Amino acid sequence: MEEKKLDVNSIIGFVLIFGILIFMFYQNKPTPEEVEAQKAQQEQIDAEASEPEVQNEIVTDEKPSLNLNDSTAVANYQSQLGAFGFTTPTEEIITLENDVVVLKISSKGGYIVEAKMKNFVTYDSVPVYLIKDGNSSFGFDFSTTDNRVLNTQDLFFEPSLTNSSGNQVISLKAKAANDKFLEYRYEMKPDDYLVDFTVRSQGLDNIINENKPVTLDWRLKGIRHSKSIEYENRYTRLTYNHEDDKLSKLSEGSDDEETEEDIKWISYRQHFFSSILATDEPFKSGVLTSKNLVEEESRTFGFTKEYASTLPIEVKGGGISKDMYWYFGPTDVEVLSQYEDLGLVDSIPFGWGIFGWINRYVFTPFYALISTYFPYGIAIVIMTILVRLAMSPVTYKSYLSQAKMKVLKPEITELGEKYKDNAMKKQQETMKLYGKAGVSPMSGCVPAFLQMPIFYALFMFFPTSFALRQKSFLWADDLSSFDTIYQFPEGFSIPFYGDHISLFPILASVAIFFYMMMTTGQNMPTQPGMPNMKFIMYLMPFMMLFFFNNYASGLSLYYFVSNLITIGIMLVIKNFILDNDKIHAQIQENKKKPKKENKFQRKMREMMEQAESQKKR
């Protein structure tokens, strides 16, 4: 193998390369001005590193903000904005206020930094805030013509407050020049929760890149208002209207995200209060996110959910123009119905399908009418009485079916003994007996099925009715929340039950127990190999006790009164209306009459006879 040696040509090549590198380093040596700039940049980095870390309220994709106390940062920021001619940093807070709501708007970013309800307080008598202490952010991201990205939260707006036809108007302009600006315009009407909000730009076609969409970014963390954060969080949800008035919701119990089209409004609902962004011309698309912040019951944790919406906006003619509305107010059907054109009343959780229809158009106006003449607790009792009286024909049908089954019980027992070794034959003869007597074992289920829409509609009505919020009755301080007769020591809680004892659920469970004793429990059959159905039915009141302990006391009050009334109606039917002897005589007469089978009964009989013959073979 030939040995490789370093020749003279190689040495000359290495010397030339080294000389070229030295020459290049000398030519690229920084000037004294560049040295000073690098030194200032390093001092800024060292100053930022020495500052303590601050955790912001909005934790998702948080954008950096300008520290006005940092002179170097302000100088750099002014230099960046100066390239486009925007206003230099000066910050002030402007207030819009009427009889129902107070909104505070910062000139830095131009968005609402505080929203306070004037006529409502929390469970501990603190004013209700929907926006406070940095729990919300709002801004637009847009690309510049030189491919940089600016966010309006970092711009400083010049405010001017005027009055237009009795309405308060705030115009905030981030100016690149006197005739070049981005404007936010807020218009508040007297005694109104809805605020007109317009965003438009003028003369910024040389700054805004119209080939890329402008993105609206709105974020909010729901502030706790109720004594039970788990209960409040159950009815705290992001709801939105899209695709020609289609209503959808993100999950109320877990993290969720959806991408939708043609979004008309977005509601960040916080149980009894809502923050809503609406528009006449729908957003073409949007990404909506909800993050659940509640892991367990807490007496101190302050937030329920974290919401975020990202909505692209088209740039037309080199500028932005979008008319919108802000709503900060109660989730109250009486208030939201005023904005029929926007359909904001649909953000209230009435329930789905026919259940929601009954809740919205029957129980809500019916209770509103009664509560204008009676105290709110008494109004629940009156409404319950009227509902049960209206349902009494159904109760009568149900009890009549049970009475017929009770009369036939000896004969059914006799058939059971006669055919105890032949289950198929026993079933066949039992059905034949029912047919001759004119009794249907399913007739008792139909009345219960008819009452299901009423049950579910009321189940949604009491926890979400704003009219019940903070209305007291007897020992209950708030009919829209659970009542408490004993509070366990802090840190102690019974699994699935809670950290308190409520009295109304106890009374409702006792009433349900006696109701079941009078009806299903006594007539429930027990078959070999099957679980004890009587035990299961008696267990239900105990389960309801656990379930209702953390629900609205108004709902427990309804079930307590409702079951008492039902028991009373059934006692009247039993003792004064129905006669077991007459029922027995009528059944015997029915047996004598020829019974014509319908197609279904004939098919069932043939199938059972066929199964019996196969078994014999």
Side-chain angles (χ1 to χ4, degrees):
M1 179 180 287
E2 183 179 357
E3 183 180 0
K4 293 183 179 180
K5 296 182 179 179
L6 188 66
D7 59 4
V8 177
N9 292 332
S10 299
I11 295 174
I12 294 173
F14 282 125
V15 171
L16 290 175
I17 291 172
F18 182 78
I20 291 171
L21 291 174
I22 294 295
F23 179 76
M24 289 175 62
F25 283 130
Y26 179 82
Q27 288 295 322
N28 292 311
K29 179 181 178 181
T31 64
E33 291 78 11
E34 291 175 333
V35 171
E36 290 297 324
Q38 293 177 1
K39 183 178 179 181
Q41 183 178 5
Q42 184 61 41
E43 290 176 353
Q44 177 185 350
I45 294 173
D46 294 339
E48 292 174 351
S50 63
E51 292 178 358
E53 185 178 356
V54 178
Q55 184 177 0
N56 203 301
E57 294 292 350
I58 302 298
V59 296
T60 307
D61 299 333
E62 181 65 27
K63 300 177 177 63
S65 59
L66 179 64
N67 183 0
L68 295 178
N69 296 320
D70 189 339
S71 58
T72 305
V74 171
N76 289 339
Y77 181 79
Q78 288 176 327
S79 176
Q80 180 182 1
L81 295 183
F84 300 104
F86 279 113
T87 311
T88 56
T90 55
E91 184 176 13
E92 60 180 296
I93 301 298
I94 309 96
T95 300
L96 285 176
E97 180 177 0
N98 57 20
D99 293 335
V100 295
V101 65
V102 178
L103 301 180
K104 292 187 177 181
I105 303 168
S106 173
S107 62
K108 181 179 183 295
Y111 62 95
I112 299 169
V113 294
E114 185 172 295
K116 183 180 77 171
M117 305 294 100
K118 295 187 68 173
N119 301 323
F120 305 104
V121 295
T122 64
Y123 70 101
D124 51 356
S125 301
V126 175
V128 171
Y129 288 91
L130 302 184
I131 298 177
K132 186 177 174 62
D133 297 333
N135 74 310
S136 177
S137 67
F138 178 87
F140 294 86
D141 289 312
F142 61 90
S143 299
T144 62
T145 51
D146 60 353
N147 293 323
R148 283 191 276 182
V149 176
L150 291 182
N151 185 274
T152 59
Q153 296 181 50
D154 297 325
L155 298 179
F156 286 77
F157 292 72
E158 293 183 5
S160 63
L161 180 62
T162 59
N163 198 294
S164 175
S165 302
N167 300 338
Q168 301 176 61
V169 178
I170 289 182
S171 172
L172 299 106
K173 294 181 179 179
K175 294 182 178 180
N178 287 333
D179 57 346
K180 298 179 180 181
F181 54 82
L182 176 67
E183 181 185 23
Y184 287 179
R185 185 180 185 275
Y186 299 85
E187 182 171 354
M188 173 182 279
K189 307 174 186 65
D191 196 26
D192 198 338
Y193 291 100
L194 195 70
V195 175
D196 295 351
F197 176 57
T198 302
V199 177
R200 72 181 186 95
S201 65
Q202 177 177 305
L204 300 182
D205 50 309
N206 63 331
I207 297 177
I208 299 177
N209 188 344
E210 64 179 6
N211 296 321
K212 295 183 179 180
V214 175
T215 302
L216 184 157
D217 186 84
W218 177 35
R219 302 169 186 268
L220 183 141
K221 287 175 69 175
I223 301 174
R224 173 187 188 161
H225 301 135
S226 301
K227 60 182 177 181
S228 171
I229 193 169
E230 280 193 335
Y231 180 75
E232 182 176 12
N233 194 49
R234 189 178 299 139
Y235 301 98
T236 296
R237 201 168 187 180
L238 192 155
T239 307
Y240 53 98
N241 179 307
H242 64 115
E243 298 177 7
D244 296 327
D245 292 330
K246 180 181 177 181
L247 297 175
S248 298
K249 308 176 182 70
L250 298 187
S251 173
E252 78 277 12
S254 59
D255 298 351
D256 197 5
E257 179 177 308
E258 291 289 345
T259 300
E260 301 290 1
E261 297 180 350
D262 296 327
I263 301 172
K264 186 176 181 180
W265 53 255
I266 302 168
S267 171
Y268 293 171
R269 188 175 74 243
Q270 180 67 23
H271 197 181
F272 285 123
F273 296 92
S274 298
S275 304
I276 303 176
L277 177 64
T279 178
D280 291 319
E281 182 181 354
F283 299 100
K284 289 191 174 180
S285 64
V287 179
L288 312 176
T289 306
S290 175
K291 180 180 179 182
N292 186 37
L293 303 178
V294 178
E295 297 181 357
E296 59 184 10
E297 186 61 71
S298 170
R299 300 181 188 178
T300 58
F301 192 71
F303 299 99
T304 52
K305 286 186 173 68
E306 183 173 359
Y307 301 120
S309 298
T310 304
L311 308 165
I313 296 178
E314 287 185 307
V315 179
K316 298 179 181 179
I320 308 169
S321 180
K322 188 70 175 177
D323 295 327
M324 293 170 280
Y325 306 91
W326 285 115
Y327 175 87
F328 298 100
T331 315
D332 183 8
V333 61
E334 185 178 347
V335 176
L336 291 174
S337 296
Q338 301 174 18
Y339 314 113
E340 184 177 354
D341 294 342
L342 297 174
L344 301 187
V345 72
D346 293 328
S347 66
I348 299 176
F350 292 110
W352 57 274
I354 187 174
F355 311 111
W357 188 92
I358 294 173
N359 186 2
R360 178 173 178 177
Y361 296 106
V362 179
F363 288 129
T364 297
F366 184 44
Y367 181 78
L369 176 63
I370 299 174
S371 60
T372 57
Y373 300 101
F374 299 94
Y376 289 90
I378 299 297
I380 292 178
V381 175
I382 295 174
M383 184 173 76
T384 306
I385 294 172
L386 295 177
V387 169
R388 293 317 304 172
L389 289 176
M391 298 296 294
S392 57
V394 178
T395 305
Y396 173 77
K397 290 286 186 182
S398 177
Y399 194 83
L400 177 61
S401 174
Q402 294 173 19
K404 290 180 178 180
M405 294 292 292
K406 186 177 180 180
V407 170
L408 286 176
K409 190 173 183 181
E411 298 182 50
I412 295 174
T413 303
E414 183 180 345
L415 290 174
E417 290 294 328
K418 184 176 180 180
Y419 301 104
K420 61 181 179 181
D421 297 327
N422 191 336
M424 182 68 71
K425 185 65 175 178
K426 183 181 70 172
Q427 183 70 18
Q428 186 177 355
E429 292 298 321
T430 301
M431 295 301 295
K432 189 182 295 184
L433 174 63
Y434 286 151
K436 288 181 178 179
V439 175
S440 172
M442 296 299 294
S443 60
C445 300
V446 175
F449 180 76
L450 292 176
Q451 296 182 69
M452 284 300 296
I454 306 297
F455 174 87
Y456 183 78
L458 288 168
F459 182 79
M460 292 300 296
F461 169 77
F462 286 102
T464 59
S465 174
F466 191 86
L468 292 173
R469 182 181 182 270
Q470 296 184 349
K471 301 301 189 299
S472 61
F473 179 65
L474 299 177
W475 55 85
D477 296 327
D478 187 348
L479 287 169
S480 69
S481 184
F482 52 79
D483 62 293
T484 304
I485 59 170
Y486 180 74
Q487 182 73 51
F488 294 139
E490 188 171 355
F492 179 79
S493 178
I494 299 176
F496 306 107
Y497 186 73
D499 60 354
H500 64 279
I501 297 176
S502 299
L503 182 55
F504 275 128
I506 296 175
L507 297 175
S509 297
V510 171
I512 292 172
F513 175 78
F514 282 105
Y515 167 75
M516 303 193 76
M517 284 281 291
M518 294 178 60
T519 56
T520 315
Q522 291 182 346
N523 300 319
M524 184 65 68
T526 302
Q527 299 183 12
M530 296 294 290
N532 191 328
M533 298 302 291
K534 288 185 178 181
F535 172 76
I536 293 177
M537 300 308 295
Y538 293 156
L539 182 63
M540 184 175 292
F542 183 73
M543 296 173 60
M544 298 294 283
L545 174 64
F546 273 72
F547 184 78
F548 283 110
N549 192 63
N550 293 293
Y551 262 81
S553 55
L555 183 63
S556 300
L557 172 62
Y558 166 79
Y559 284 124
F560 171 59
V561 177
S562 177
N563 282 283
L564 286 182
I565 296 171
T566 304
I567 290 171
I569 292 175
M570 292 179 67
L571 289 173
V572 171
I573 293 173
K574 177 181 178 181
N575 297 317
F576 300 100
I577 299 177
L578 295 182
D579 188 329
N580 288 343
D581 293 335
K582 290 183 179 180
I583 294 175
H584 185 268
Q586 183 64 46
I587 289 176
Q588 299 308 317
E589 287 294 325
N590 291 340
K591 288 182 181 180
K592 298 176 182 178
K593 298 177 181 178
K595 188 69 176 179
K596 185 178 180 181
E597 291 181 321
N598 56 38
K599 291 183 179 180
F600 176 76
Q601 291 172 328
R602 184 174 67 253
K603 187 68 174 176
M604 289 296 297
R605 178 178 56 78
E606 292 173 354
M607 290 175 61
M608 295 180 72
E609 290 175 351
Q610 183 179 3
E612 180 67 18
S613 63
Q614 288 178 355
K615 183 178 180 181
K616 288 180 179 180
R617 288 197 297 267

